[in-house]
Amino acid sequence: MKFCFVILHYRTLNETIECIQHLKKLKNQHDIQIIVVDNGSNDASIEKIKKQVIEEENLLYVESEYNLGFAKGNNLGYTISKHKYQAEYIFMLNSDVYIKEKEFTELVVEINKQTNFDILGPDIITKNGDHQNPVNYINNDIKLVNKSIMRNRISYFASFLPLGIKELIKKNRIKKDESETCRELVQIEDCPLHGACLIFSENFIKNHEFPFYPDTFLYAEEDILYYLGKKRYEKFVFSPKIKVLHYEDAATDLSFSNQGKKRRFIIKNSNRSLKILKKLMKSNNSL
């Protein structure tokens, strides 16, 4: 059985090394292939990683000349996993996601036997102890997409406001989010999943040349994946039996020292992706 792990790397030197090292501690190393996709870092970080973690039979480095974004970068690793290694399971990880369970692959196979999933999401735990799966808010109709676009526009202008006003807005938003995420972590089927760690089954791999809609650059990939997946009657499963740690926003933090600029970058790309999702919804509704 072949398990391919795709790590999307963008300038996160230490995080990517740690991610690889955790994968090398998993059981059944002879069945595991690691593919590190350097997404046009252009900062020599991938060369430093190669010196510290030497390329070998079950570790492949792939370098893109420029930043393809989240969807296309992961699609590149997926295509190699499918066609070069004939993967039966493809695991997609952000470079700041760490797997500590040595029996991780065995647990995934066991969950698949029980659920016959197309896409599986683990319990993703942040450094603050928050749980990111299952995703508690998803843009699955045009009204919600419009609402998210409007909220993003308000947040964009708020990023230019004095610190006190911004903190008040942030405080109110967090309070609302906390009330929405108070839920028991049990196995759930047909739920949206966080993009930091996604597992694709053999059934999904057979039916798809790539997992992510390629027209986005960053953000809303989970929304589009879930929307299209539900149209195709695919099975999304969240299981707390498997856990990963997520030190989120590592790549974005390296790119932006100014938090206001970082926030505006996220909002702009989020809205671009949401508009693509909206177009998909409209075209499907017109059929």
Side-chain angles (χ1 to χ4, degrees):
M1 188 166 290
K2 197 69 177 182
F3 306 98
C4 281
F5 289 83
V6 177
I7 304 170
L8 191 62
H9 168 77
Y10 184 74
R11 300 184 176 182
T12 50
L13 171 64
N14 296 324
E15 288 81 3
T16 299
I17 290 172
E18 189 169 348
C19 183
I20 296 169
Q21 288 172 340
H22 277 99
L23 294 179
K24 284 186 165 293
K25 293 175 184 176
L26 296 176
K27 285 187 176 180
N28 300 329
Q29 281 293 311
H30 59 280
D31 290 329
I32 289 172
Q33 179 67 42
I34 303 168
I35 301 164
V36 179
V37 178
D38 176 43
N39 211 6
S41 297
N42 296 322
D43 65 347
S45 60
I46 194 67
E47 298 304 325
K48 292 174 184 176
I49 292 169
K50 286 180 180 179
K51 286 180 182 178
Q52 292 194 50
V53 189
I54 298 170
E55 187 169 13
E56 51 192 351
E57 189 176 353
N58 75 330
L59 173 60
L60 175 71
Y61 292 104
V62 178
E63 298 179 54
S64 172
E65 291 184 15
Y66 58 93
N67 190 343
L68 299 169
F70 181 90
K72 287 181 182 176
N74 274 308
N75 286 349
L76 173 59
Y78 175 96
T79 300
I80 294 167
S81 300
K82 174 173 178 168
H83 294 290
K84 182 178 175 66
Y85 297 109
Q86 288 78 52
E88 293 174 74
Y89 291 89
I90 298 176
F91 301 71
M92 295 206 159
L93 309 175
N94 285 7
S95 61
D96 53 3
V97 167
Y98 310 135
I99 297 172
K100 294 199 170 184
E101 295 167 295
K102 291 183 180 179
E103 297 82 13
F104 195 83
T105 54
E106 290 94 326
L107 289 169
V108 168
V109 173
E110 181 184 311
I111 294 165
N112 194 25
K113 287 177 181 177
Q114 295 169 355
T115 65
N116 194 31
F117 68 81
D118 288 291
I119 306 170
L120 175 66
D123 183 9
I124 302 175
I125 305 167
T126 70
K127 54 189 173 185
N128 297 322
D130 297 324
H131 298 266
Q132 295 181 300
N133 258 339
V135 174
N136 67 317
Y137 183 89
I138 199 80
N139 295 286
N140 56 3
D141 63 48
I142 290 177
K143 286 183 179 179
L144 289 176
V145 172
N146 286 334
K147 191 180 289 186
S148 293
I149 290 171
M150 184 56 66
R151 269 205 304 264
N152 278 343
R153 286 173 180 165
I154 293 168
S155 295
Y156 183 85
F157 290 112
S159 69
F160 293 98
L161 295 173
L163 184 61
I165 299 174
K166 285 193 289 186
E167 287 301 312
L168 181 62
I169 294 169
K170 183 180 177 183
K171 184 178 179 182
N172 289 334
R173 187 176 70 244
I174 290 172
K175 187 175 180 182
K176 180 183 176 183
D177 288 345
E178 284 174 348
S179 67
E180 290 174 349
T181 55
C182 291
R183 59 191 186 277
E184 187 181 356
L185 290 176
V186 295
Q187 186 161 294
I188 302 172
E189 297 186 4
D190 297 324
C191 60
L193 301 169
H194 198 283
C197 179
L198 291 166
I199 301 155
F200 300 91
S201 71
E202 185 176 17
N203 185 55
F204 182 95
I205 297 165
K206 282 179 180 177
N207 293 316
H208 297 283
E209 283 303 309
F210 50 80
F212 295 111
Y213 192 75
D215 290 2
T216 63
F217 183 73
L218 282 172
Y219 307 112
E221 293 88 1
E222 302 103 322
D223 304 73
I224 297 173
L225 180 69
Y226 186 67
Y227 175 75
L228 293 176
K230 296 307 292 177
K231 288 285 182 184
R232 298 184 292 243
Y233 301 100
E234 290 166 354
K235 194 169 188 178
F236 291 71
V237 174
F238 160 72
S239 177
K241 292 180 182 178
I242 48 174
K243 305 178 190 299
V244 301
L245 300 180
H246 184 203
Y247 284 62
E248 56 184 334
D249 291 336
T252 314
D253 287 342
L254 281 172
S255 301
F256 295 95
S257 56
N258 181 289
Q259 288 301 307
K261 288 182 179 179
K262 174 189 168 184
R263 182 68 189 150
R264 290 189 284 277
F265 171 82
I266 292 171
I267 292 166
K268 281 182 178 179
N269 282 285
S270 175
N271 267 6
R272 287 181 186 130
S273 297
L274 287 170
K275 287 174 183 177
I276 289 169
L277 174 56
K278 185 177 175 180
K279 187 182 289 187
L280 281 170
M281 288 176 171
K282 283 184 174 180
S283 63
N284 278 322
N285 289 340
S286 65
L287 293 177

